[in-house]
Amino acid sequence: MSEPWLVLKFGGTSVSGRQQWETIVALAKQRLEDGNRVLLVCSAVSGITNALQALADDSEQNADRAIASILDRHYRL
């Protein structure tokens, strides 16, 4: 029988910085050592879903500036 799949989903503040990603790596490695096949699912970084919603809701907003801010946040991460 094949090893069971274990889905680990992270988002928000749990993916907001290097230290958090190191924690995710450690958790995934431990689950692999426990004999699981690990599937990592990463959702939006903290605040990004709200920023995207605000962009969608506000047609008067400077879209280029808002998108640049969102991209910058990910590049810095």
Side-chain angles (χ1 to χ4, degrees):
M1 180 174 198
S2 181
E3 295 86 8
W5 279 100
L6 180 62
V7 178
L8 301 176
K9 180 188 175 286
F10 300 93
T13 58
S14 68
V15 294
S16 63
R18 181 178 180 102
Q19 183 178 4
Q20 290 83 354
W21 280 97
E22 289 174 0
T23 298
I24 292 169
V25 169
L27 290 169
K29 283 182 178 179
Q30 181 59 55
R31 298 315 184 271
L32 286 168
E33 290 171 5
D34 291 344
N36 296 290
R37 290 186 291 174
V38 175
L39 175 63
L40 289 177
V41 177
C42 298
S43 61
V45 174
S46 180
I48 296 299
T49 300
N50 291 343
L52 291 170
Q53 186 65 55
L55 180 61
D57 290 344
D58 187 0
S59 62
E60 300 299 316
Q61 183 172 316
N62 182 339
D64 291 338
R65 187 177 190 184
I67 292 168
S69 175
I70 291 168
L71 290 173
D72 181 61
R73 178 109 184 259
H74 286 85
Y75 290 140
R76 285 184 286 122
L77 178 61

